[in-house]
Amino acid sequence: MHAQIVLFDGFDPLDVIAPYEVLGAGAMLTDGLLEVELVSAEGERDVPSGIAALSLRATGGLEPSRAGLVLVPGALGRLPDDDDEPIDDDIPVILGRTLDTALPALLKECLDRDGLTVATVCGGSLVLAMAGLIEGRPATTHHLGMDVLDATGAVAVDARVVDDGDLVTGSSVTSGLDLGLYLLERELGPKVAIAVEKLIAHERRGTVWRSAGAEPTTGARS
């Protein structure tokens, strides 16, 4: 399986590096069953992150016809107060700028393609939501962005990882580790995921939400 992690100007480095290392470890432990690449909508280029002077190199362009997994990170920037005027380094502004690039059209192509899974970390789900690509679908994001996610028409779910088939979303910045491990388990099996857990000394946190099983009753006594 070919995995592409998407970079855009102002991305959060940890949203990228955490799943990249997990998936890269999975590739190393499976002799090439998985390969991981950093890409951008514009193709090969140095992409500035939300941290000054820190860029990562996209080695190619996002290719929905080639990828089996595409992962979209969130942004790193300022968290504005409700009364603040928007400025360039506000997270909502950074995420909004992706709408003026080729990324939304490419992500729509990804979601339309059978057999391709789109995953997100933190505000990455808001990139999809703001582009109108996941209306009516369950997803999660950083807790400070849940209202925005809900307002776009997506179904905001308070869980660390949400699996909706070809859309798998992670909640907060560090959930990239858990998302990566879950994707390894789902795509390559639990043995690979456990081996990577041991390698990076991290046990996956939280229960993955799926639209399945019994509904909990309200007002249950503990």
Side-chain angles (χ1 to χ4, degrees), residues 64-152:
S65 62
R66 181 169 169 239
L69 170 66
V70 169
L71 188 145
V72 184
L76 180 63
R78 196 178 75 103
L79 294 171
D81 294 328
D82 292 338
D83 297 331
D84 289 349
E85 289 292 326
I87 60 175
D88 283 348
D89 63 350
D90 286 352
I91 288 177
V93 173
I94 296 169
L95 294 175
R97 283 199 290 265
T98 65
L99 302 180
D100 297 324
T101 71
L103 185 56
L106 288 167
L107 291 175
K108 183 180 186 304
E109 190 178 340
C110 290
L111 288 167
D112 288 344
R113 180 173 167 247
D114 290 339
L116 193 158
T117 297
V118 176
T120 68
V121 180
C122 200
S125 58
L126 294 176
V127 172
L128 297 170
M130 292 164 68
L133 299 177
I134 56 173
E135 186 173 352
R137 300 195 64 173
T140 191
T141 191
H142 191 284
H143 66 93
L144 293 176
M146 293 290 276
D147 289 344
V148 178
L149 184 62
D150 198 51
T152 66

Side-chain angles (χ1 to χ4, degrees), residues 8 10-17 49-51 73-77 122 173:
F8 57 83
F11 70 89
D12 188 317
L14 189 55
D15 287 2
V16 171
I17 295 301
S49 76
I51 296 178
L76 180 63
C122 200
V173 181

Side-chain angles (χ1 to χ4, degrees), residues 32-55:
L33 288 180
L34 172 66
E35 56 178 332
V36 191
E37 181 185 17
L38 299 179
V39 299
S40 81
E42 297 78 18
E44 183 177 352
R45 68 185 181 102
D46 291 326
V47 186
S49 76
I51 296 178
L54 176 59
S55 298

